[in-house]
């Protein structure tokens, strides 16, 4: 059922475009195309990403960030900064220049000394959903891409309902498609429409795509990179880039075992992204060998992520969205 | 056919490679995932370019090997392994009995052995049956039909000739060209010219096949053998049928023993024989004994001499205890007397029973439809045609006399005569008196047999009409006719011109050897040899070339030579091969030990080729495709 669900969700729609979504920054300059799909259909497609019952489950969740971000507006997220928040933290002796409004007169009356009441300053969290939109995500009917959009929608929904700033970036090497950070629960629909309108096409160059992302987003925050990891340069460099740029990366790697389940014999393999062709003889031994290579690569990636404190979540595309979000990501500490 | 299939397949294979195999297209999300990394894929590009041509070469090699294997297999099927040549020794010594009391012979044993061999043949094996004799021959060509081989084996008959090993080896050498890996199994007693002797003297000509010899009765316990090695007979010259025979006897081992020698007269049909002479001989320790039986008579023309021990065991080999011979035939002589009648001459001619004479006048010459061996012209000499035959001129004068007349002679005699001439062997003309006559003038090439003084009076010569003898006087004009030796003088003349009696020893032919018989100018083109007279008589036809027939008979006995369009006939005797040609005693050593080394059977090439093709296929499979197709 899940398979058919994904197929239905990710079925390409002629004339589909995200240009009608407000706040969309068309870096590719191909904006302004006519909209052929009705608003209702768009809403229905967006609703398909997150079913209402699942949305209610998500409302009880909140994003976890390892450290508070120093930029941005006040929000509901605790910050290390002491300031004008509502949550009392501690007293400290008054020094010259302190805001007299923070004087604790009860303590002055009791102890005869001036004390300043300190409050924890609360900030909002910037959540960036970096979605790999290369053509490799659309293979096998777009199972991976549909699941990626669903995961992104779920995380975005959690972020918006937690009054976080949620932005979406479609990672493509040659074009920059972005949903500017949104804030507020009422922006959920925009987020879903944007995600629903995304298409997987082109090649994969995460370094280049994330470079554009880093240059554009001045406000640092949590970056959830959702990808199948099929990048010739590997994911390690991309994660290092995000870390070096002050972002807090999270990695959700979509794994489809069917990618290696090829028909045995003489075949002509065609790269979904580059169109490159190679003749090959598929044997059980080779499939086994490839499986071992992929597993080793994945292990290496997880180790790297752990060494850098980056939560990494290999997600099998056969898992349900409930399992992924409510169990995997929750246990992994991405959401709480 | 296979080559055609190979070439078609090869072209098809190349075509498939040229067209490239149609591969299924599979869209994969990340090609580098399957190339072991993009760098590795690029590094293998050069090697990949050579993979397909090398794979094609390998496939063609495999195809060629399979084709060669098929060709080899088919050739092997055409010449299947296990081709035998069963050789049955049918020579004379195979008649020897295995034991004195048993009628079973070495030939019976040999047939039984080969019979077992033939029955033990496998379904895929084939064999040919060869008879070993003086002229070995293939009785049954190569076949897998065991019944045909057995039937032919039962029909083999013994001959009285010696085995010809060299001819056998040559025959098998020819057969081995058609049947590779030939195994010749010879059932023989090895008592002829054995293979051991042959192979030792022809080491450089060892046959290209395996020669196995199964010896019958090797090292037989009884080596005793009594044999007549030679037997010949001759008529006494002018003996009117009297004759004598000579013989040579061998006995092994040489020891004193008493034997009985019996000479038989065989009638013309060869069916009956009557003893003419019986002698008892005591042989001493010498291995050979020679003797002559003289003053014999009562035989027509066929004789048999048989030897037996008076005591002791019988010979195991009996065939050489009997030998045959023929006497020179008593040929009748037809004489024509032309001219005045002479009672003395007629009386002298009547003294010899073989002479038949006919008298005519000179005017009746030549007689019609009659042929004569000799013409005697008395006083006259009519004209003769060419090839009219020999003639005797007695005082004949005239233009048709082949020699010119000289001067008139009176009261003369023979002062000189040719003593070497058989005419004067029994007649001495020293004191002969002649009343009148004339001398003769011989031509070049003529031979003067007698002279009176310096004048030739008796001359022989050769003319177109034929040979002649000319006497310079009529016999009745002399006192020669009054002498008792006149008939001998006249027989000497007839013997000179016609050949009345042969005094040579006449020995029989040897079975299996090529012999010639002179039949004369009037012989037909084909003559039949009927014999051996007696039981089992058969007829064989031989061509006559130039009055001579060449023949070879393998069975001993008397043979009559005749033809439907030929008045003449002849009787010849054929004996077993003389004992000096081979020993009747089997060799006491295993001939196999000296037999040529067996030739290794040809390798199963098709298996090697197929195995090689399989190995290449495995290599090609694991090295290129890991599948069995292009």
């Amino acid at each position: 059922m899940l398979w058919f669900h994904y197929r239905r969700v990710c079925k390409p729609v002629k004339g589909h475009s995200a240009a009608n979504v407000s706040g969309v920054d068309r870096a590719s300059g191909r904006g302004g195309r006519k909209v052929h799909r009705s608003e209702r259909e768009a809403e229905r497609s967006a609703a398909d990403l997150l079913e209402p019952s699942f949305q209610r489950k998500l409302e009880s969740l909140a994003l976890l960030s390892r450290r508070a971000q120093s930029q941005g507006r006040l929000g509901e997220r605790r910050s290390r900064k002491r300031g004008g928040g509502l949550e009392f933290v501690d007293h400290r002796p008054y020094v010259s220049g302190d805001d007299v409004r923070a004087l604790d007169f009860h303590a002055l009356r009791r102890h005869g000394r001036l004390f300043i009441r300190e409050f924890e300053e609360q900030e909002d969290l910037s959540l960036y959903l970096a979605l790999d939109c290369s053509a490799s995500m659309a293979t096998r009917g777009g199972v991976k891409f549909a699941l990626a959009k669903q995961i992104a929608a779920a995380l975005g929904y959690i972020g918006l309902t937690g009054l976080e700033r949620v932005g979406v970036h479609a990672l493509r090497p040659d074009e920059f498609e972005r949903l500017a950070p949104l804030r507020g629960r009422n922006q959920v629909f925009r987020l879903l429409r944007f995600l629903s309108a995304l298409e997987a096409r082109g090649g994969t160059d995460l370094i280049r795509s994330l470079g554009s992302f880093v240059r554009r987003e001045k406000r640092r925050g949590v970056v959830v990179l959702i990808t199948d990891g099929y990048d010739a340069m590997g994911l390690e460099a991309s994660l290092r880039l995000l870390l070096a740029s002050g972002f807090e990366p999270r990695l959700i790697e979509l794994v489809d075992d069917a990618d290696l389940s090829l028909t045995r014999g003489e075949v002509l393999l065609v790269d979904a992204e580059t169109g490159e062709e190679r003749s090959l003889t598929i044997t059980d031994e080779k499939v086994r060998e490839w499986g071992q290579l992929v597993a080793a690569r994945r292990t290496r990636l997880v180790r790297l992520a752990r060494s850098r404190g980056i939560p990494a979540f290999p997600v099998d595309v056969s898992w349900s969205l409930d399992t992924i979000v409510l169990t995997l990501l929750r246990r992994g500490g991405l959401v709480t | 056919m296979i080559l055609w299939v190979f070439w078609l397949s090869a072209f098809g294979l190349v075509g498939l490679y040229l067209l490239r195999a149609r591969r299924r297209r599979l869209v994969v999300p990340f090609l580098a995932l399957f190339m072991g990394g993009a760098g590795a894929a690029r590094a293998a590009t050069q090697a990949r370019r050579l993979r397909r041509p090398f794979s094609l070469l390998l496939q063609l090699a495999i195809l060629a090997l399979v084709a060669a294997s098929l060709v080899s297999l088919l050739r092997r099927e055409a010449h299947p392994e296990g081709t035998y040549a069963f050789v049955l020794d049918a020579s004379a010594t195979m008649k020897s009995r295995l034991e004195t009391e048993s009628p079973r012979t070495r030939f019976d044993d040999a047939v039984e052995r080969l019979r077992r061999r033939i029955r033990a043949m496998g379904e895929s094996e084939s064999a040919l049956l060869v008879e070993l004799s003086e002229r070995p021959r293939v009785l049954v060509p190569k076949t897998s039909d065991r019944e045909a081989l057995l039937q032919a084996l039962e029909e083999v008959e013994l001959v009285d000739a010696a085995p010809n090993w060299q001819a056998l080896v040559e025959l098998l050498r020819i057969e081995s060209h058609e049947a590779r890996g030939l195994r010749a199994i010879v059932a023989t007693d090895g008592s002829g010219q054995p293979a051991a002797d042959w192979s030792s003297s022809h080491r450089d000509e060892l046959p290209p096949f395996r020669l196995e010899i199964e010896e019958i009765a090797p090292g037989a316990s009884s080596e005793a053998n009594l044999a007549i090695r030679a037997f010949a007979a001759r008529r006494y010259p002018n003996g009117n049928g009297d004759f004598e025979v000579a013989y040579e006897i061998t006995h092994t081992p040489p020891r004193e023993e008493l034997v009985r020698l019996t000479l038989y007269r065989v009638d013309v049909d060869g069916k009956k024989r009557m003893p003419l002479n019986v002698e008892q001989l005591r042989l001493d320790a010498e291995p050979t004994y020679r003797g002559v039986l003289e003053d014999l008579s009562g035989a027509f023309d066929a004789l048999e001499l048989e030897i037996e021990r008076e005591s002791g065991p019988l010979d195991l080999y009996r065939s050489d205890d009997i030998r045959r011979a023929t006497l020179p035939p008593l040929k009748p002589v037809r004489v024509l007397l032309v001219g005045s009648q002479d009672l003395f001459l007629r009386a002298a001619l009547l003294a010899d029973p073989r002479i038949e004479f006919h008298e005519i006048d000179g005017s009746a010459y030549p007689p019609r439809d009659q042929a004569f061996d000799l013409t005697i012209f008395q006083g006259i000499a009519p004209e003769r045609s060419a090839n009219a035959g020999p003639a005797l001129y007695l005082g004949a004068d005239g233009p048709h006399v082949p020699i010119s007349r000289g001067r008139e002679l009176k009261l003369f005699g023979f002062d000189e005569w040719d003593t070497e001439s058989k005419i004067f062997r029994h007649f001495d003309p020293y004191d002969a008196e002649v009343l009148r006559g004339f001398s003769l003038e011989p031509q070049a090439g003529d031979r003067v047999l007698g002279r009176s003084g310096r004048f030739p009076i008796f001359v022989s010569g050769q003319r177109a009409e034929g040979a002649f003898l000319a006497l310079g006087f009529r016999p009745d004009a002399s006192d020669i006719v009054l002498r008792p030796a006149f008939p001998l003088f006249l027989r000497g003349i007839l013997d000179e011109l016609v050949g009345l009696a042969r005094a040579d020893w006449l020995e029989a032919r040897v079975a299996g050897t090529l012999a010639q018989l002179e039949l004369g100018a009037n012989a037909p083109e084909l003559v039949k040899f009927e014999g051996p007279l007696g039981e089992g008589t058969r007829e064989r036809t031989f061509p006559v070339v130039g009055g001579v027939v060449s023949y070879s008979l393998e069975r001993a006995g008397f043979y009559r030579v005749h033809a439907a369009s030929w008045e003449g006939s002849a009787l010849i005797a054929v004996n077993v091969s003389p004992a000096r040609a081979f020993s009747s005693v089997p060799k006491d050593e295993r001939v196999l030990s000296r037999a040529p080394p067996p030739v290794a059977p040809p390798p199963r090439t098709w298996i090697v080729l197929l195995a090689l093709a399989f190995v290449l296929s495995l290599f090609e499979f694991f090295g290129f495709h890991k599948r069995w197709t292009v």
Side-chain angles (χ1 to χ4, degrees):
Chain A
M1 286 298 293
L2 188 65
W3 166 256
F4 292 108
H5 171 72
Y6 287 154
R7 285 184 63 84
R8 186 163 54 84
V9 167
C10 300
K11 184 176 180 182
V13 179
K14 193 173 182 182
H16 169 79
S17 172
N20 57 337
V21 179
S22 62
V24 173
D25 184 359
R26 301 294 300 180
S28 60
R30 293 187 298 167
R33 287 191 294 177
K34 290 182 68 177
V35 177
H36 297 284
R37 198 173 62 175
S38 66
E39 193 73 19
R40 178 174 295 179
E41 285 175 341
E43 290 178 1
R44 191 184 303 127
S45 296
D48 285 343
L49 287 176
L50 288 177
E51 294 177 356
S53 59
F54 187 65
Q55 291 179 12
R56 283 191 293 274
K57 293 180 183 178
L58 295 178
E59 287 174 358
S60 62
L61 298 179
L63 292 173
L64 274 181
S65 174
R66 197 173 49 188
R67 63 177 188 269
Q69 304 298 320
S70 59
Q71 298 95 341
R73 292 178 289 180
L74 292 176
E76 292 187 345
R77 188 158 298 279
R78 295 173 62 189
S79 166
R80 290 181 182 175
K81 295 195 302 184
R82 302 290 191 264
L86 297 179
E87 194 75 22
F88 171 78
V89 177
D90 202 359
H91 289 92
R92 68 173 174 82
Y94 172 79
V95 293
S96 178
D98 285 342
D99 189 358
V100 293
R101 290 177 298 175
L103 283 173
D104 190 345
F105 294 99
H106 295 287
L108 175 63
R109 196 178 303 137
R110 186 180 301 167
H111 299 290
R113 294 177 59 184
L114 292 175
F115 288 95
I116 294 297
R117 296 181 67 184
E118 288 188 333
F119 295 88
E120 186 179 58
E121 189 174 84
Q122 293 193 342
E123 295 178 343
D124 59 349
L125 177 69
S126 293
L127 173 65
Y128 300 103
L129 299 172
L131 193 60
D132 182 359
C133 291
S134 65
S136 64
M137 295 287 286
T139 54
R140 290 192 63 227
V143 177
K144 281 185 289 188
F145 193 57
L147 183 60
K149 287 197 289 188
Q150 283 187 311
I151 293 173
L155 293 176
Y157 185 86
I158 294 170
L160 289 177
T161 54
L163 300 179
E164 313 289 2
R165 298 176 71 250
V166 177
V168 181
H169 287 262
L171 300 181
R172 297 194 187 98
D174 298 326
E175 57 181 305
F176 189 79
E177 189 171 357
R178 164 176 184 259
L179 175 65
L182 306 174
R183 194 162 187 271
R185 192 185 188 102
N186 57 348
Q187 300 295 328
V188 169
F189 187 67
R190 288 182 58 193
L191 169 71
L192 296 183
R193 277 196 300 180
F194 177 81
L195 289 175
S196 178
L198 281 180
E199 287 181 341
R201 61 173 181 271
T204 302
D205 190 348
L206 293 180
I207 292 290
R208 188 173 168 189
S209 303
L210 289 174
S212 300
F213 162 76
V214 168
R215 284 192 298 274
R216 284 178 180 273
E217 299 295 342
K218 303 300 181 187
R219 184 183 178 86
R220 298 303 184 244
V222 175
V223 178
V224 180
L225 178 59
I226 305 174
T227 178
D228 56 3
Y230 292 150
D231 187 357
M233 301 304 292
L235 290 176
E236 292 86 347
S238 303
L239 295 177
R240 288 194 191 100
L241 172 66
L242 290 175
L243 282 175
S245 304
F247 288 93
E248 189 176 347
R250 306 285 188 271
L251 175 63
I252 295 178
E253 184 183 11
L254 300 176
V255 178
D256 188 358
D257 291 336
D259 288 346
L260 295 177
S261 301
L262 302 180
T263 309
R264 306 299 190 267
E266 295 286 332
V267 295
L268 183 66
L269 296 182
V270 182
D271 195 295
E273 297 178 359
T274 63
E276 184 182 356
E277 295 180 350
R278 283 292 166 84
S279 297
L280 208 62
T281 303
I282 309 294
T283 61
D284 291 336
E285 184 186 355
K286 281 203 168 186
V287 170
R288 203 160 40 245
E289 182 184 343
W290 293 332
Q292 292 171 355
L293 284 174
V294 169
R297 174 171 162 270
R298 189 165 297 136
T299 303
R300 193 167 60 247
L301 181 65
V302 170
R303 283 179 183 169
L304 172 77
R306 283 180 182 170
S307 65
R308 301 297 177 93
I310 303 172
F313 306 93
V315 172
D316 195 297
V317 295
S318 62
W319 298 345
S320 66
L321 188 60
D322 287 24
T323 306
I324 295 168
V325 177
L326 301 180
T327 304
L328 178 69
L329 300 184
R330 200 171 182 180
R331 287 181 183 171
L334 184 60
V335 295
T336 181
Chain B
M1 179 65 184
I2 290 180
L3 287 180
W4 277 109
V5 173
F6 165 73
W7 284 117
L8 285 177
S9 304
F11 279 120
L13 197 62
V14 173
L16 283 175
Y17 268 81
L18 292 178
L19 291 173
R20 294 177 65 95
R22 184 175 181 81
R23 294 166 181 262
R24 285 164 299 193
R25 284 175 61 90
L26 283 182
V27 178
V28 294
F30 190 46
L31 188 58
L33 188 67
F34 307 97
M35 305 307 295
R42 281 192 295 272
T45 303
Q46 292 300 327
R48 290 183 62 84
R49 286 178 184 168
L50 297 176
R51 281 174 64 90
R52 290 186 61 82
F54 192 63
S55 171
L56 174 61
L57 287 177
L58 270 180
Q59 298 257 2
L60 289 175
I62 291 168
L63 197 61
L65 285 173
V66 170
S69 172
L70 281 176
V71 169
S72 173
L73 180 61
L74 289 180
R75 283 183 178 173
R76 195 177 184 85
E77 288 296 323
H79 306 287
E81 191 181 2
T83 301
Y84 296 95
F86 295 118
V87 183
L88 178 60
D89 186 355
S91 62
T93 57
M94 294 295 285
K95 288 181 179 176
S96 300
R97 294 183 179 188
L98 293 173
E99 297 174 358
T100 309
E101 295 78 14
S102 170
R104 188 174 174 81
T105 63
R106 297 174 183 174
F107 182 75
D108 297 334
D109 195 10
V111 169
E112 180 59 30
R113 291 187 187 210
L114 291 188
R115 193 183 292 132
R116 287 200 298 267
R117 286 273 195 168
I118 292 173
R119 284 175 179 159
M121 280 173 54
E123 293 296 329
S124 63
E125 293 176 326
S126 56
L128 58 153
L129 185 62
V130 180
E131 177 190 293
L132 171 59
S133 61
E134 176 65 27
R135 287 178 300 164
R137 56 183 178 147
V138 177
L139 299 176
V140 179
K142 189 175 73 172
T143 179
S144 298
D145 188 355
R146 285 181 288 185
E147 292 303 321
L149 290 167
L150 289 172
Q151 184 177 355
L153 185 67
E154 301 299 333
E155 293 173 356
V156 176
E157 293 183 355
L158 278 166
V159 298
D160 294 304
N164 189 340
W165 279 91
Q166 187 161 358
L168 173 68
V169 171
E170 290 303 320
L171 176 67
L172 293 178
R173 190 193 301 275
I174 295 171
E175 292 293 334
S176 68
H177 294 160
E178 298 295 325
R180 298 183 63 182
L182 180 69
R183 288 179 61 189
I185 298 171
V186 187
T188 176
D189 59 359
S191 59
Q193 179 70 25
D197 297 343
W198 183 89
S199 60
S200 61
S201 58
H202 295 75
R203 288 253 178 235
D204 298 335
E205 305 170 13
L206 291 179
F209 53 82
R210 184 183 178 91
L211 182 62
E212 299 176 7
I213 298 173
E214 283 201 4
E215 291 185 36
I216 309 300
S221 57
S222 174
E223 296 180 353
N225 187 46
L226 194 61
I228 302 174
R229 282 183 53 182
F231 176 49
R234 68 171 181 176
R235 293 186 186 278
Y236 289 133
N238 306 316
N240 288 338
D242 296 342
F243 63 95
E244 62 181 5
V245 297
Y247 58 87
E248 183 177 300
I249 298 169
T250 60
H251 61 131
T252 53
R255 63 187 175 187
E256 288 190 1
E257 58 183 338
L258 197 61
V259 298
R260 184 174 65 247
L261 193 66
T262 307
L263 179 68
Y264 292 96
R265 183 195 78 185
V266 183
D267 67 4
V268 291
D269 294 332
K271 296 178 181 176
K272 297 177 183 178
R273 62 180 189 173
M274 291 179 60
L276 291 178
N277 188 63
V278 179
E279 284 193 3
Q280 198 174 47
L281 302 175
R282 182 173 294 280
L283 304 181
D284 52 18
E286 294 297 323
T288 304
Y289 180 86
R290 297 183 181 87
V292 176
L293 300 178
E294 299 174 326
D295 296 328
L296 300 171
S297 63
F300 297 111
D301 44 15
L303 298 171
E304 276 187 2
L305 186 65
E306 183 176 4
I307 191 170
E308 293 176 283
R309 283 192 180 88
E310 287 287 2
S311 61
L314 290 173
D315 262 8
L316 292 179
Y317 180 43
R318 292 278 298 155
S319 295
D320 61 354
D321 293 352
I322 300 175
R323 289 191 80 82
R324 300 165 186 83
T326 54
L327 287 166
L330 287 172
K331 183 181 176 183
V333 180
R334 294 170 59 85
V335 177
L336 177 63
L337 284 174
V338 182
S340 59
Q341 296 186 355
D342 185 346
L343 290 177
F344 299 102
L345 185 60
R346 294 173 61 189
L349 292 175
L350 285 173
D352 193 326
R354 290 171 294 175
I355 297 176
E356 300 173 2
F357 66 90
H358 185 68
E359 294 177 294
I360 59 171
D361 292 334
S363 58
Y365 186 84
R368 292 180 180 176
D369 303 329
Q370 281 185 305
F372 293 91
D373 299 313
L374 175 66
T375 305
I376 300 175
F377 296 100
Q378 176 117 313
I380 63 172
E383 183 178 4
R384 302 186 70 205
S385 60
N387 297 321
L392 173 63
Y393 293 90
L394 300 175
D397 187 14
H400 302 298
V401 175
I403 187 168
S404 302
R405 172 178 176 164
R407 61 180 298 176
E408 193 82 20
L409 298 175
K410 289 183 179 177
L411 294 175
F412 61 98
F414 285 86
D415 297 325
E416 295 177 13
W417 62 92
D418 186 355
T419 56
E420 299 296 324
S421 171
K422 63 176 70 174
I423 298 174
F424 299 104
R425 187 178 300 171
H426 306 290
F427 178 72
D428 188 351
Y430 171 69
D431 54 352
E433 291 289 342
V434 182
L435 183 58
R436 57 179 175 275
F438 48 85
S439 64
L440 303 172
E441 293 182 352
Q443 299 178 7
D446 292 344
R447 179 183 174 191
V448 177
L449 299 174
R451 296 176 188 271
S452 176
R454 57 184 177 87
F455 302 108
I457 58 173
F458 195 23
V459 176
S460 69
Q462 184 73 33
R463 297 291 186 271
E465 299 83 1
F468 74 93
L469 275 174
L471 193 61
F473 57 92
R474 290 170 56 113
D476 56 359
S478 68
D479 62 354
I480 295 176
V481 297
L482 301 177
R483 300 191 176 202
F486 177 63
L488 295 177
F489 174 66
L490 196 58
R491 173 175 287 188
I493 292 174
L494 293 177
D495 198 15
E496 175 75 16
L497 291 174
V498 180
L500 282 180
R502 292 178 59 181
D504 301 331
W505 291 102
L506 197 59
E507 194 174 12
R509 310 298 184 189
V510 176
T513 59
L514 188 65
Q516 289 187 334
L517 179 65
E518 193 169 345
L519 300 177
N522 297 325
E525 293 182 352
L526 295 173
V527 291
K528 293 179 180 177
F529 282 66
E530 181 186 359
L533 299 175
E535 294 182 357
T537 300
R538 299 173 187 171
E539 273 193 355
R540 294 182 63 185
T541 303
F542 292 93
V544 180
V545 180
V548 177
V549 58
S550 299
Y551 64 95
S552 175
L553 301 168
E554 294 184 327
R555 299 173 67 193
F558 292 103
Y559 289 79
R560 183 167 300 285
V561 185
H562 61 90
S565 59
W566 186 46
E567 291 182 355
S569 68
L571 185 71
I572 60 172
V574 177
N575 285 321
V576 296
S577 292
R580 58 182 167 80
F582 61 90
S583 167
S584 66
V585 180
K587 296 292 179 184
D588 57 355
E589 60 187 53
R590 296 294 299 175
V591 180
L592 272 178
S593 62
R594 291 195 196 172
V599 176
R604 292 174 180 270
T605 314
W606 69 276
I607 291 181
V608 176
L609 293 173
L610 207 57
L612 198 56
F614 181 68
V615 170
L616 278 184
S617 298
L618 283 180
F619 176 73
E620 199 273 343
F621 175 73
F622 287 112
F624 294 93
H625 302 291
K626 296 197 175 179
R627 61 175 182 157
W628 296 106
T629 61
V630 175

